[in-house]
Amino acid sequence: MNGLSIPSWSGRRAGEALAKVRAEGRRRNEACCICKQSIDYSLTYPHKQSCSVQHVKSRKLYPHLTWEPSNWKPAHLDCNKAAGPGEDLSMGITSEDW
């Protein structure tokens, strides 16, 4: 991977990222970036409709953006899981959405 060492998406750091996405999403009343339906930000993991962090540019294709907050959007947990690894949503999101 060209000498890049990217920490895995897990642990305290991932939890803090989720807290940031949830807080920002709640404040902006953001819908799921995948299905465009509203998110109930009071729900928590492992509820399938709870908020999760969706990487707009996939971690598989853009590993260097894994920990870049501008690459994070709120998504329902089940939408995120259904999208699967390597799913790149950046083609469907305009600069206004960033």
Side-chain angles (χ1 to χ4, degrees), residues 15-49:
E16 290 170 354
L18 174 58
K20 180 180 175 98
V21 168
R22 283 183 71 187
E24 186 87 2
R26 178 181 285 134
R27 187 176 63 76
R28 293 182 175 181
N29 196 30
E30 283 187 83
C32 174
C33 68
I34 298 172
C35 74
K36 309 299 186 210
Q37 299 299 309
S38 64
I39 296 175
D40 180 347
Y41 287 97
S42 70
L43 300 174
T44 58
Y45 181 87
H47 194 286
K48 65 182 184 175
Q49 292 292 296

Side-chain angles (χ1 to χ4, degrees), residues 19-98:
K20 180 180 175 98
V21 168
R22 283 183 71 187
E24 186 87 2
R26 178 181 285 134
R27 187 176 63 76
R28 293 182 175 181
N29 196 30
E30 283 187 83
C32 174
C33 68
I34 298 172
C35 74
K36 309 299 186 210
Q37 299 299 309
S38 64
I39 296 175
D40 180 347
Y41 287 97
S42 70
L43 300 174
T44 58
Y45 181 87
H47 194 286
K48 65 182 184 175
Q49 292 292 296
S50 66
C51 179
S52 69
V53 177
Q54 174 65 42
H55 290 82
V56 177
K57 290 187 178 277
S58 78
R59 294 183 341 207
K60 181 179 178 182
L61 299 174
Y62 304 93
H64 59 286
L65 296 178
T66 296
W67 294 103
E68 174 54 48
S70 66
N71 190 42
W72 304 338
K73 289 287 184 182
H76 293 115
L77 181 60
D78 60 346
C79 291
N80 197 332
K81 287 182 177 182
E87 187 74 24
D88 188 0
L89 300 178
S90 61
M91 296 302 287
I93 295 181
T94 67
S95 60
E96 293 175 6
D97 294 325
W98 285 72

